[in-house]
Each structure stands twice: as C-alpha cells, then as structure tokens.
C-alpha cells in the first residue's frame, strides 16, 4: 500500500489591498463636520434645550405659584406654623431644598442625555 501525500494547501496572509469602505465610528462624522454630524449634534442640543425648558417650567410653577396661591387664598397666607407665617416658611425655607432637588434632577437627566449621545456616536457604522 502506498500512501498518498496530503493535498497541498496554499497559506496566504491578509489582503494588503484597502477595502472600499472601512468601518469607522460615527464620532468622525462630528469631527469632520459633515451633514450627518450636524444632525447628531443638533439632536443632542435640542434634547438638552427641551430638558432645560422643562426644568424652568417646574421652577416657575413650583416657586412662582406660591405667591399666586397666597394671593388667591388669603386665609392660607395668614396661617402660622410654629409662630411663623406659612408663606415665610415655604418661600424662605422650603424653597431651597426644592431648588436643590430640581437641580439634582436636571444634572442627572442632562448627563443621561450625554451618555446616550456618546453611546450613539461611539458605535461603528458597518460597511
């Protein structure tokens, strides 16, 4: 019995010719100031502006509504808590934790928007 040698196999390295289109992150669209990059950036700015408007609305209704409430309901303005007028307590004391809370919420939401945007632009476009 004569054994036949195994068939020959050609071993080659990776192709040295450049491909037509290489995969690249969407971030380059922003860096190169392309139309698509403008759309990505405009969407982030629009979302951040919407968030800022919502925060201002919450502040305007929350704090701006208190004087209006006391004007519309005079008996509420005359109410005293621990010897101090309720209006003073709400506007002079309770307003600060409210401002801190709205600020904390706004920063968290703005960072979440930026993280979502970063996740979007860091993904690679497939050829």
């Amino acid at each position: 019995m004569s054994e036949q040698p195994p068939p020959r196999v050609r071993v080659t390295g990776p192709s040295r010719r450049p491909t037509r289109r290489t995969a690249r992150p969407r971030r380059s669209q922003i860096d190169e100031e392309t139309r698509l990059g403008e759309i990505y950036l405009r969407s982030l700015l629009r979302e951040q502006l919407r968030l800022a408007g919502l925060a201002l609305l919450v502040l305007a209704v929350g704090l701006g509504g208190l004087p209006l409430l006391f004007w519309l309901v005079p008996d509420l303005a005359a109410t005293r808590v621990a010897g101090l007028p309720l209006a003073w307590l709400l506007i002079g004391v309770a307003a600060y934790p409210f401002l801190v809370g709205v600020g904390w919420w706004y920063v968290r939401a703005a960072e979440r928007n930026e993280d979502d945007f970063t996740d979007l632009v860091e993904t690679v476009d497939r050829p």
Side-chain angles (χ1 to χ4, degrees), residues 18 39 47 51 61 68 74 78 80 84 90-91 96 99 105 117:
I39 292 170
E47 188 63 26
L51 181 62
V61 170
L68 181 63
R80 293 187 163 284
L84 294 171
L90 289 178
I91 295 173
Y96 295 104
L99 289 171
W105 166 78
F117 178 76

Side-chain angles (χ1 to χ4, degrees), residues 79-97:
T79 304
R80 293 187 163 284
V81 175
L84 294 171
L86 180 62
W88 285 20
L89 288 174
L90 289 178
I91 295 173
V93 176
Y96 295 104

